[in-house]
Amino acid sequence: MTKLVLIRHGQSAWNLENRFTGWWDADLTEKGEAEARKAGQMLAALDADFRAGFTSVQTRAIRTLWLALTEMKRVWLPIEKDWHLNERHYGGLTGLDKAETAAKHGEEQVHVWRRSYDIPPPPLEVGSTYDLTPDPRYKGIDIPNTESLKTTLERVLPYWEQRIAPELIAGKDTLIAAHGNSLRALVKHLFRVPDDQITGVEIPTGNPLLIELDTNLKPVSVRYLDESRAQPLPPLP
């Protein structure tokens, strides 16, 4: 069986501050760094031979992978960074305090923006503090101004099929360090989770999700390595 491990980045500064982060480049907190190192220690103890790694172009995911690989003594692992694995873009909610946003717009409306499958938040205004157009890592990229989970899946899935799946088909144990929503999109695809159920799937920070795949990339087993911080998992397809 080929092993695929999904790791949501460790706690970020804006996770701690309860702010909508999305594509904004918040770094890890000390707790987030510790979560990443612990993830690496658990992965080092796993009976696996990781040969490929993927992450987004966002600092919190990249550093999570670096710290984990350091603990695994696998800093030599070939890593591909790509914006298709970025977090969902939260549009005009970017940078806002979640509790204050709920007080302003109502809990129900914020719940729709956060948890509906196909309804995105309001778009980010051009020239906003959080406008990433000047960021060199996105040169030549059509940066979205908002995304739903559905549109996040629509950019993640082709990247999975073109870049990640071939490594797994070749029998390479693979690591992906990314974000709550880009990983949720992969979970939806792999486990065939219905649209109305995927938004209820939570992926904890810094807790490796181990998925064993058959030759057709169908999951045959799944578990979190840190059972004390595990969240409910979708059934095997």
Side-chain angles (χ1 to χ4, degrees), residues 8 15 18 20 87-90 93 98 106-122 147-150 179-185 188 193-204 231:
R8 182 184 174 191
N15 290 148
N18 200 34
F20 290 100
E87 176 57 292
R88 168 191 173 189
H89 197 302
Y90 274 105
L93 301 183
K98 293 177 182 178
E107 294 279 356
E108 184 175 347
Q109 179 61 70
V110 174
H111 181 77
V112 169
W113 286 333
R114 292 187 68 189
R115 291 303 184 188
S116 66
Y117 176 62
D118 56 3
I119 301 176
E147 288 181 306
S148 63
L149 179 56
K150 180 176 183 291
H179 307 264
N181 283 291
S182 51
L183 294 180
R184 189 179 281 119
K188 181 181 186 346
V193 183
D195 294 355
D196 61 350
Q197 295 179 24
I198 188 56
T199 54
V201 174
E202 294 290 344
I203 300 177
Q231 290 286 335

Side-chain angles (χ1 to χ4, degrees), residues 23-25 57-59 86 130-141 143:
W23 279 39
W24 193 249
D25 206 27
V57 295
Q58 296 185 270
T59 299
N86 275 17
Y130 305 112
D131 185 346
L132 293 169
T133 303
D135 193 315
R137 83 191 82 182
Y138 300 118
K139 184 177 181 179
I141 292 171
I143 302 171

